[in-house]
Amino acid sequence: RHLVCGPVKTPGSHLTAAQYLQLRRGQMKEASEMKYGDQVEGQTWDDIIRVMTSATVRFELLSTVHTSPVTLDVQREGGVSTKGPRGGVFVMYNCARLHTLFDSYERGVEKGLYPEIPEGSQLDFSALKEEGEWLLLFNYLIPFSELLDQSGQALDGEGGGARVNIKTEQICKFLVSLSKDFSSYYNRVHVLGEPLPHLFNQMFCRLYLLRALRELYHSALDTLNLPPIRQL
């Protein structure tokens, strides 16, 4: 099985595919070292950089309609940001933030600060009053399944083979837009509040919402054959 994108252009440079991948990996490693310093070593970080490089490349190639040319910026001094709202890195970064959030919650449960999340029927979801919470629900969680249904179209293939027109650009655009709105919400709202009983209902409602969002990220990334990462 192969996924074919349009012609790839690299203005001002003549890189082979292998050189392009090597360039992006080097930029990803450099960006990680600038942010995390000496922590960036060992197999765990090698795996993270490999996945992040793959995410960068896939979003660069698959964010354009596959019948159109893809123009890549391969200037070596350009670098790759680990946080800017630019494609795969930004998406993976925000997916990792959700893992960090739930890891923090689980540690709080182990320390006795928070109780386990109750069943949804026991919660009052009217506590979700932030505009950003409803934006995540109505703009992303609810329409996601329809987006998946529309992103693939089976076509007749020659010689009995199957050919599918996959609109990867829609998935990529959806994930980048989601990540911008989630990042804005997450930077503004303190999800894990003080361990006080009268605050638990709102916290649990938010955790329910964000747990569904984490599952959405995983499903959407899986369509691009990208595994989620737990830290960045």
Side-chain angles (χ1 to χ4, degrees), residues 10-55:
T10 57
S13 181
H14 299 283
L15 293 181
T16 65
Q19 290 171 330
Y20 163 59
L21 292 173
Q22 184 178 12
L23 171 65
R24 287 294 184 253
R25 187 186 186 285
Q27 290 174 326
M28 191 67 245
K29 189 172 190 296
E30 181 181 359
S32 299
E33 289 173 341
M34 289 180 63
K35 182 176 181 181
Y36 297 102
D38 295 338
Q39 298 180 48
V40 183
E41 60 180 16
Q43 187 60 49
T44 298
W45 271 103
D46 286 346
D47 292 341
I48 290 174
I49 290 171
R50 175 180 53 79
V51 172
M52 296 302 293
T53 301
S54 180

Side-chain angles (χ1 to χ4, degrees), residues 54-65:
S54 180
T56 298
V57 169
R58 288 168 196 260
F59 271 77
E60 284 185 329
L61 295 178
L62 302 179
S63 293
T64 301
V65 178

Side-chain angles (χ1 to χ4, degrees), residues 90 94 97 132 178-189:
F90 184 64
N94 280 284
R97 294 172 87 181
L178 163 63
S179 297
K180 290 178 181 178
D181 286 333
F182 165 67
S183 181
S184 175
Y185 168 76
Y186 195 71
N187 290 338
R188 189 175 65 255
V189 174

